[in-house]
Amino acid sequence: AFGVAGEQLPQVAQELAAVAAVHGDRAVLRLDGQATLAALAAEAPGADLLHLACHGRFRADNPAFSFLQLGDGPLTLQDVRALRLRARLVVLSACETGLGRVAPGDELLGLVRAFTLAGARAVLASLWPVDDGATALLLADVHQALSDGAPPAQALQQAQAAAAAA
């Protein structure tokens, strides 16, 4: 789990703590200055589950410039495609990470496609700006359901139903 907190993202540390609480000693956390491009490149290829909690930006004018903000700079689509992932799930806990744009040749460009091309079997992403606190709670429930054996889509559905009932 990689997270970069900030003025608009005060719950990132709590979100990563919730991920760690669910996954126990299997979890590796990198927060703020430790959540670097180099650390991601070194650790992500061996991860079964990758969680990124940070600022994200989709650039509709040029999706190749879309990014996730890590502790030492932006993680771009090109950086993501260079990763060699084996993750069954990548969780993108950031705004608008699920947006994409159809490019010439009917190719969809965006972060989800980049993570899929890098080898992720599934990507959980958002299509809109997200509230930091609500997202942290929702994703804690998603991780609990994943830990209990639910597949990603079911884990998200269960977490959304619980949030709606609260």
Side-chain angles (χ1 to χ4, degrees):
F2 284 69
V4 179
E7 186 177 308
Q8 296 177 342
L9 300 172
Q11 299 297 316
V12 167
Q14 290 86 346
E15 184 174 328
L16 293 190
V19 170
V22 169
H23 298 289
D25 60 359
R26 296 176 295 156
V28 175
L29 303 182
R30 299 288 177 247
L31 183 61
D32 295 331
Q34 295 180 342
T36 64
L37 296 162
L40 183 68
E43 296 173 5
D48 179 55
L49 183 117
L50 181 60
H51 183 103
L52 298 163
C54 54
H55 174 68
R57 177 144 188 247
F58 175 70
R59 292 272 311 265
D61 61 322
N62 188 340
F65 292 128
S66 298
F67 65 90
L68 296 170
Q69 186 64 43
L70 293 184
D72 62 344
L75 175 70
T76 65
L77 271 64
Q78 183 175 352
D79 297 326
V80 171
R81 287 192 302 251
L83 298 172
R84 295 292 168 241
L85 302 177
R86 65 172 189 85
R88 66 183 164 95
L89 177 63
V90 173
V91 176
L92 301 178
S93 178
C95 294
E96 301 177 339
T97 53
L99 295 178
R101 189 181 108 205
V102 178
D106 292 330
E107 182 177 356
L108 184 63
L109 298 176
L111 287 163
V112 171
R113 179 168 172 81
F115 276 100
T116 303
L117 289 173
R121 286 182 265 159
V123 180
L124 191 155
S126 168
L127 295 172
W128 47 83
V130 296
D131 176 78
D132 187 48
T135 299
L137 294 172
L138 177 80
L139 292 178
D141 287 347
V142 167
H143 280 279
Q144 185 59 58
L146 290 168
S147 181
D148 293 342
Q154 183 181 352
L156 177 60
Q157 186 276 328
Q158 289 173 359
Q160 288 174 321

